[in-house]
């Protein structure tokens, strides 16, 4: 009976979050009694990117307009790339621009709450996770337009001869493992106060099931890569492209729906031009930094014929994978089976809140076993919760395998909220296995995917649609079939350099080394050392470009913050992260941007609102199943029926 009662409470909680899924992406307004009132409107989002060399500078402008006859306080939970360094915020009120200041999170929240209580216009931006942020805007008057502008920077992705930029537009609903304690949603509660290894969903996104008609995104990109491009792609999106000068391109996507990640890719005409670069920069304080990119030549990777390979595929079959995501994962897995070598072995594990094994031990690669595997894959269905921890328990044994190379290919959308605990688990149980993550779906949790691959000393592959499956899986297996370059380090004139993570992760075929370093001078050479199957590797780099600015310094600090939080408990590194974030003006778990208009306030808004996110595109829709198991479907249906009847009675 206790289990049943807990199930009802959990499902009732889930229903409270899913009740708004049938709404469009408008401001969902509630009074102090929790009853819905008339909706407001978020107009759109503008994204302006400027990519120069290897660095992408981005401005994101969020426009809010209140169409109600009363004032409201708005909130928007939204994604940004997980590697982004957010360094500026501006509150725009008509022609007035109020520049935000960075402060300790608790201090920024107090400043915002005081302005809100005084009826002043104010904005607060916080980092909830490395890829999830929260904007609060206070006292939006009836009919008023308020805009919040965020500035961030990132490095361009580069793999297999292609540059790319990924911009997330919505958030896949996260699964919260049943064993974890849900935190109270209070603005003053900070991440470090949560149970060890657990980043609680302090502010959950509201999700709209239907297409978002009113919330659109306009994106422009100005690229000056210094090289001619042979191909430019925006995936399924249509775009306009101008080429005003050699190596200079301007791209625009207008009125995009906010229900899937946008991936822009650019293939240089001469790939040899993009194999190595060292860009140096001097800050206004006279400090010197460099950005190193190196793609080692192909002969640095030589196949290891002496050791057989064991490849274990782990496929997420939870409810959040329903529709297109599950179809993509099955296609990827089936294509991966065709790429196995005869001397290797393999296994497949499906997981949701239960485990489903193809075999209790790895099988030889032969026609009979491959036919058995294909039947197993076809039988998989998306249902249940995303219990990644038990899947990792099953596949990571913490052992050293001297007789074979053991590689784990993990296919998932990563829609979980307990990332920190999972990273710690991977680190503890990895042994000499290597974990390769494959992000599936229109809006996978890139924070989990990239950090899990980093911790698992593997690589991350993103598959956004069915057309990419064959090409992306082929590139992944090219990496799997070549030993990594290990024991990577950087130095200058024999002196060790400051960079993160340290030690650097292994480098795989087609994947670049991309890292920011602190240099003794802008003309200091950088030496890259590593170990390959053929012996030591050493590449010496000198500056290919030098300029003034802070962009590389911010990336350097961002990489240090990422490493501190990934490999240490938050409470141990809070002060160090906080000091770094304040020194380099960066958002972090312990800092926030706040902007306050000093104009005398109006009557404080009495109603709060949260902007809804679009439900990620997954093809034909069914009721979301991320938070529960199939054996509870009937109970869930009864709760929906009871609540629906109650709602009809209330309306009458």
């Amino acid at each position: 009976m206790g289990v049943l009662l807990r199930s009802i409470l959990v499902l009732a909680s889930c229903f409270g979050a899913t009740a708004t899924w049938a709404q469009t992406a408008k401001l969902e307004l509630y009074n102090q009694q929790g009853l819905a009132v008339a909706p407001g409107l978020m107009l759109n989002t503008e994204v302006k990117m400027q990519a120069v060399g290897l660095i992408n500078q981005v401005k994101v402008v969020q426009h809010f307009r209140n169409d109600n006859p009363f004032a409201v306080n708005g909130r928007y939970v939204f994604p940004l790339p997980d590697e982004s360094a957010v360094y500026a915020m501006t509150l725009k009120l008509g022609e007035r621009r109020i520049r935000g200041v960075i402060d300790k999170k608790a201090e920024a929240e107090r400043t915002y709450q005081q302005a809100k209580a005084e009826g002043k216009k104010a904005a607060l931006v916080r980092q909830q996770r490395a890829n999830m942020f929260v904007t609060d805007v206070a006292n939006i008057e009836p009919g008023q337009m308020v805009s919040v502008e965020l500035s961030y920077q990132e490095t361009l992705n580069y793999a297999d001869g292609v540059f790319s930029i990924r911009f997330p537009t919505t958030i896949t609903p996260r699964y919260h493992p049943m064993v974890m304690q849900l935190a109270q949603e209070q603005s003053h509660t900070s991440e470090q106060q949560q149970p060890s290894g657990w980043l609680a969903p302090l502010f959950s996104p509201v999700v709209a099931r239907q297409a978002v008609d009113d919330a659109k995104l306009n994106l422009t990109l100005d690229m000056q890569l210094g090289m001619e491009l042979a191909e430019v792609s925006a995936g399924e999106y249509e775009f306009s492209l101008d080429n005003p000068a050699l190596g200079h391109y301007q791209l625009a996507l207008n009125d995009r729906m906010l229900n899937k990640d946008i991936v822009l890719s650019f293939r240089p005409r001469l790939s040899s031009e993009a194999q190595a670069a060292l860009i140096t920069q001097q800050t206004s304080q006279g400090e010197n930094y460099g950005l190193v990119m190196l793609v080692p030549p192909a002969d640095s990777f030589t196949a290891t014929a002496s050791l057989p390979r064991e490849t274990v595929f782990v496929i997420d079959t939870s409810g959040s994978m329903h529709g297109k995501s599950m179809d993509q994962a099955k296609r990827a897995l089936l294509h991966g089976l065709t790429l196995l070598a005869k001397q290797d072995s393999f296994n497949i594990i499906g997981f949701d809140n239960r485990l489903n094994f193809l075999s209790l031990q790895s099988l030889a690669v032969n026609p009979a076993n491959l036919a058995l595997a294909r039947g197993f894959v076809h039988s998989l269905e998306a249902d249940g919760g995303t219990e990644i921890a038990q899947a990792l328990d099953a596949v990571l044994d913490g052992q050293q395998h001297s007789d074979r190379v053991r590689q784990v290919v993990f296919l998932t959308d990563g829609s979980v909220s307990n990332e920190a605990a999972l990273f710690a688990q991977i680190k503890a149980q990895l042994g000499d296995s290597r974990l390769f993550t494959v992000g599936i779906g229109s809006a996978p949790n890139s924070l989990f995917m990239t950090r899990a691959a980093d911790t698992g000393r593997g690589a991350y592959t993103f598959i956004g649609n069915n057309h990419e499956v064959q090409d992306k899986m082929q590139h992944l297996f090219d990496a799997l079939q070549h030993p990594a370059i290990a024991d990577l380090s950087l130095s200058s004139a024999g002196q060790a350099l400051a960079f993160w993570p340290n030690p650097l992760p292994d480098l795989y075929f087609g994947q670049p080394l991309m890292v920011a370093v602190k240099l003794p001078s802008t003309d200091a050479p950088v030496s890259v050392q590593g170990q390959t199957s053929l012996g030591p590797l050493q590449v010496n780099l000198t500056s290919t470009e030098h300029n003034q600015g802070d962009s590389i310094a911010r990336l350097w600090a961002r990489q240090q913050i990422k490493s501190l939080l990934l490999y240490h408990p938050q409470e141990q590194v809070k002060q160090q992260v906080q000091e770094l974030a304040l020194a380099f003006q960066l958002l972090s778990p312990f800092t926030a941007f706040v902007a306050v208009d000093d104009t005398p306030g109006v009557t404080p808004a009495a109603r709060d609102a949260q902007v809804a996110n679009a439900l990620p595109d997954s093809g034909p829709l069914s009721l979301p199943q991320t938070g529960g198991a199939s054996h509870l479907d009937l109970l869930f249906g009864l709760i929906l029926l009871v609540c629906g009847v109650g709602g009809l009675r209330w309306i009458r």
Side-chain angles (χ1 to χ4, degrees):
M1 186 65 182
V3 174
L4 179 61
L5 179 59
R6 286 196 298 271
S7 300
I8 292 174
L9 291 175
V10 169
L11 287 173
S13 173
C14 293
F15 175 65
T18 58
T20 58
W21 289 14
Q23 308 297 318
T24 57
K26 296 181 179 179
L27 287 168
E28 303 295 335
L29 304 179
Y30 302 90
N31 62 19
Q32 293 179 345
Q33 287 72 44
L35 298 177
V37 295
L41 176 71
M42 174 185 165
L43 283 183
N44 58 40
T45 300
E46 296 179 37
V47 181
K48 299 179 180 179
M49 298 181 172
Q50 186 171 28
V52 179
L54 300 175
I55 298 176
N56 184 30
Q57 299 278 1
V58 186
K59 289 187 182 298
V60 178
V61 185
Q62 301 165 348
H63 297 289
F64 302 85
R65 189 181 74 197
N66 179 16
D67 286 341
N68 296 281
F70 43 79
V72 299
N73 302 308
R75 171 172 292 161
Y76 183 35
V77 181
F78 61 98
L80 287 178
D82 58 290
E83 300 292 345
S84 59
V86 182
Y87 65 89
M89 182 267 272
T90 301
L91 175 63
K92 301 169 68 175
L93 303 167
E95 298 300 319
R96 300 201 309 280
R97 295 172 61 90
I98 299 99
R99 184 173 179 81
V101 295
I102 192 84
D103 203 346
K104 296 177 182 178
K105 179 180 281 188
E107 295 297 327
E109 289 177 343
R110 275 192 284 269
T111 300
Y112 173 79
Q113 292 297 337
Q114 180 178 346
K116 177 180 174 182
E118 294 172 354
K120 293 181 178 179
K121 307 294 186 300
L124 176 70
V125 179
R126 286 158 288 180
Q127 174 185 309
Q128 184 159 278
R129 284 170 170 75
N131 65 339
M132 191 184 299
F133 299 79
V134 181
T135 294
D136 281 319
V137 183
N139 299 309
I140 309 176
E141 296 178 52
Q144 184 178 38
M145 170 83 75
V146 174
S147 301
V148 177
E149 179 182 286
L150 300 175
S151 297
Y152 74 85
Q153 62 186 48
E154 61 181 347
T155 56
L156 298 183
N157 295 315
Y158 182 77
D160 303 308
V162 178
F163 289 99
S164 65
I165 296 171
R166 179 166 169 254
F167 185 81
T169 64
T170 192
I171 300 169
T172 298
R174 301 291 194 261
Y175 173 76
H176 312 305
M178 302 283 282
V179 296
M180 293 196 171
Q181 178 181 352
L182 295 179
Q184 295 289 327
E185 183 176 315
Q186 296 177 345
S187 60
H188 65 269
T189 305
S190 58
E191 291 176 353
Q192 70 272 22
Q193 294 173 310
Q194 305 309 322
S196 178
W198 155 249
L199 290 175
L202 305 184
F203 302 108
S204 298
V206 175
V207 183
R209 169 189 276 275
Q210 296 177 348
V212 184
D213 297 324
D214 299 313
K216 297 290 180 66
L217 178 142
N218 296 305
L219 184 149
T220 60
L221 169 63
D222 188 284
M223 296 181 292
Q224 299 184 52
L225 299 180
M227 61 186 72
E228 189 177 0
L229 299 179
E231 180 184 353
V232 178
S233 171
E236 300 176 358
Y237 291 118
E238 295 182 359
F239 61 93
S240 61
L241 182 68
D242 292 325
N243 184 199
L246 182 65
H248 185 187
Y249 298 84
Q250 295 173 331
L251 180 148
L253 289 81
N254 297 318
D255 294 334
R256 296 298 95 201
M257 303 298 291
L258 300 177
N259 64 352
K260 64 175 66 176
D261 291 0
I262 296 172
V263 180
L264 310 174
S265 58
F266 327 102
R267 186 182 298 276
R269 189 169 297 280
L270 297 176
S271 59
S272 60
E273 295 183 17
Q275 297 303 305
L278 171 60
I279 301 173
T280 57
Q281 201 172 70
Q282 187 174 69
T283 68
S284 55
Q285 290 78 31
E287 294 184 324
N288 303 296
Y289 295 86
L291 181 62
V292 176
M293 188 192 84
L294 172 66
V295 180
D299 60 7
S300 297
F301 302 87
T302 303
T304 304
S306 57
L307 291 179
R309 227 178 315 274
E310 178 189 10
T311 302
V312 182
F313 297 95
V314 183
I315 179 171
D316 184 349
T317 60
S318 64
S320 64
M321 293 284 289
H322 176 80
K324 289 184 178 179
S325 296
M326 196 64 204
D327 183 41
Q328 290 163 14
K330 285 185 176 182
R331 285 173 180 259
L333 204 162
L334 289 169
H335 188 70
L337 292 174
T338 69
L339 301 175
L340 294 171
K342 292 181 179 180
Q343 69 271 22
D344 298 339
S345 61
F346 74 100
N347 201 356
I348 303 174
I349 303 173
F351 77 94
D352 38 56
N353 51 289
R354 295 167 296 179
L355 297 176
N356 186 8
F357 292 84
L358 167 66
S359 172
L360 294 181
Q361 60 186 13
S362 289
L363 304 174
V365 177
N366 59 46
N369 287 336
L370 290 175
L372 181 67
R374 287 192 291 270
F376 178 82
V377 173
H378 286 301
S379 71
L380 296 173
E381 296 182 357
D383 186 26
T386 315
E387 294 286 354
I388 290 180
Q390 67 173 355
L392 293 174
D393 270 333
V395 75
L396 299 180
D397 57 10
Q399 303 296 316
Q400 303 294 315
H401 305 86
S402 58
D403 59 335
R404 64 191 186 279
V405 176
R406 192 168 190 271
Q407 299 164 329
V408 178
V409 179
F410 209 100
L411 300 98
T412 178
D413 60 4
S415 62
V416 290
S417 62
N418 62 326
E419 295 100 333
L422 296 174
F423 302 149
Q425 181 181 0
I426 293 168
K427 183 179 179 181
Q429 297 178 204
L430 185 66
D432 67 355
S433 298
R434 294 295 178 261
L435 178 63
F436 295 80
T437 58
V438 180
I440 298 294
S442 57
N445 179 3
S446 60
L447 171 65
F448 172 75
M449 310 304 297
T450 56
R451 303 293 198 274
D454 287 344
T455 310
R457 300 183 67 183
Y460 167 49
T461 300
F462 170 55
I463 298 178
N465 58 67
N466 285 336
H467 303 297
E468 298 178 339
V469 168
Q470 185 169 338
D471 185 54
K472 292 292 185 70
M473 290 301 289
Q474 183 63 61
H475 287 309
L476 171 60
F477 270 76
D478 285 343
L480 293 175
Q481 292 168 4
H482 294 79
I485 297 178
D487 302 326
L488 285 163
S489 63
L490 304 174
S491 62
S492 179
Q495 300 297 314
L497 297 173
F499 58 87
W500 288 271
N502 191 354
L504 291 166
D506 296 347
L507 192 60
Y508 290 88
F509 185 77
Q511 303 292 324
L513 172 68
M514 186 88 76
V515 61
V517 297
K518 192 170 186 179
L519 297 171
S521 65
T522 54
D523 58 358
V526 173
S527 177
V528 182
Q529 299 94 25
Q531 291 293 324
T532 76
S533 58
L534 297 178
L537 168 74
Q538 179 166 327
V539 179
N540 298 314
L541 301 174
T542 56
S543 179
T544 54
E545 180 184 337
H546 171 64
N547 53 57
Q548 302 288 321
D550 300 316
S551 57
I552 298 179
R554 293 191 195 104
L555 293 173
W556 177 83
R558 178 69 182 81
Q559 289 179 350
Q560 185 177 4
I561 290 172
K562 168 187 170 181
S563 296
L564 287 169
L565 294 173
L566 182 58
Y567 296 108
H568 304 86
Q570 283 202 18
E571 57 271 16
Q572 291 184 10
V573 297
K574 175 184 176 181
Q575 183 174 351
Q576 191 175 353
V577 169
Q578 191 170 263
E579 290 174 354
L580 271 168
L582 292 173
F584 290 87
Q585 302 284 289
L586 298 176
L587 273 186
S588 76
F590 314 116
T591 54
F593 277 107
V594 63
V596 176
D597 182 14
D598 289 331
T599 304
V602 296
T603 302
R607 295 175 171 87
D608 297 327
Q610 182 164 333
V611 179
N613 298 87
L615 188 67
D617 178 32
S618 61
L621 294 175
S622 66
L623 277 174
Q625 304 168 62
T626 296
S630 58
H631 62 277
L632 295 175
D633 284 350
L634 180 58
L635 180 59
F636 196 160
L638 290 174
I639 292 173
L640 290 176
L641 181 60
V642 171
C643 292
V645 172
L648 288 173
R649 290 174 178 169
W650 183 83
I651 291 172
R652 293 172 60 191

